[in-house]
Amino acid sequence: MAFFVMGPLQVALPVLASERLHGAAALGLLMGAHGAGTLAGMLASSLGGAWLRRRFGATLLLVDAVVGCLLMVLGQISTAWQGAALLAVTGMLGGYLQVAIFTWIQRRVAPAMLGRAMALFMGIFLGLAPLSAAATGALLRHLSVGELFCSGGALLLAAAVAAALFTTIPRIAGAETI
């Protein structure tokens, strides 16, 4: 998710605001909506903890699929309020999952290995951001901003569907593993 979302939000979102919306003011609105959504999602992460633990893998893939669809729509917007609404929802889902993933890791990893596991996770998460931004910048030379968001969203959706189809995510309620 980090690779397909972070680069487009860092690099292509300013291009979208510049080309289709009203420049810096629209970019501020879009980024503010995403940030507010992320904060709301993080605050909401305390809700439904037991339910989420039983369905964590399926929920993770469902959110990835939904965010993929939202990214595809984001590339087609023509007004700032449409982008703000899409990014607020994207932020809420991402914020909710960030807390859920950290909590899941901290519950599953042995205390003696927790620091290493978190360092590895953060290294992957933060290490993908500049790679995603570089890839997005390179792709924008060949794709329109709409095509870029649509492609990134489609790839994220395809990855979520493939993971759901080709992994052993429990299909029954009450299963405790991913």
Side-chain angles (χ1 to χ4, degrees):
M1 183 174 185
F3 188 79
F4 295 121
V5 175
M6 293 178 77
L9 290 184
Q10 291 175 346
V11 177
L13 195 61
V15 174
L16 177 71
S18 175
E19 287 181 358
R20 289 198 203 153
L21 309 174
H22 300 292
L27 179 61
L29 176 66
L30 297 175
M31 293 178 70
H34 185 260
T38 301
L39 182 60
M42 289 177 164
L43 293 172
S45 66
S46 64
L47 306 173
W51 180 89
L52 180 63
R53 280 192 299 277
R54 288 192 305 273
R55 294 164 185 86
F56 182 68
T59 302
L60 181 67
L61 295 179
L62 177 63
V63 168
D64 284 348
V66 169
V67 169
C69 292
L70 292 173
L71 279 181
M72 289 189 284
V73 175
L74 183 62
Q76 310 310 312
I77 66 165
S78 58
T79 63
W81 72 265
Q82 294 168 330
L86 292 169
L87 287 169
V89 173
T90 301
M92 284 189 336
L93 293 170
Y96 188 90
L97 276 189
Q98 283 179 16
V99 173
I101 290 168
F102 277 102
T103 302
W104 182 82
I105 289 172
Q106 291 174 352
R107 287 187 174 158
R108 303 272 302 196
V109 174
M113 300 298 291
L114 188 56
R116 292 180 198 121
M118 293 304 294
L120 180 63
F121 178 72
M122 290 303 295
I124 291 168
F125 186 72
L126 295 175
L128 285 178
L131 296 175
S132 177
T136 300
L139 286 171
L140 277 174
R141 292 181 181 182
H142 308 288
L143 300 173
S144 71
V145 70
E147 292 169 335
L148 184 112
F149 276 112
C150 193
S151 299
L155 288 170
L156 180 57
L157 177 60
V161 169
L165 293 175
F166 301 114
T167 60
T168 58
I169 293 177
R171 305 287 194 264
I172 56 172
E176 291 296 328
T177 60
I178 308 188

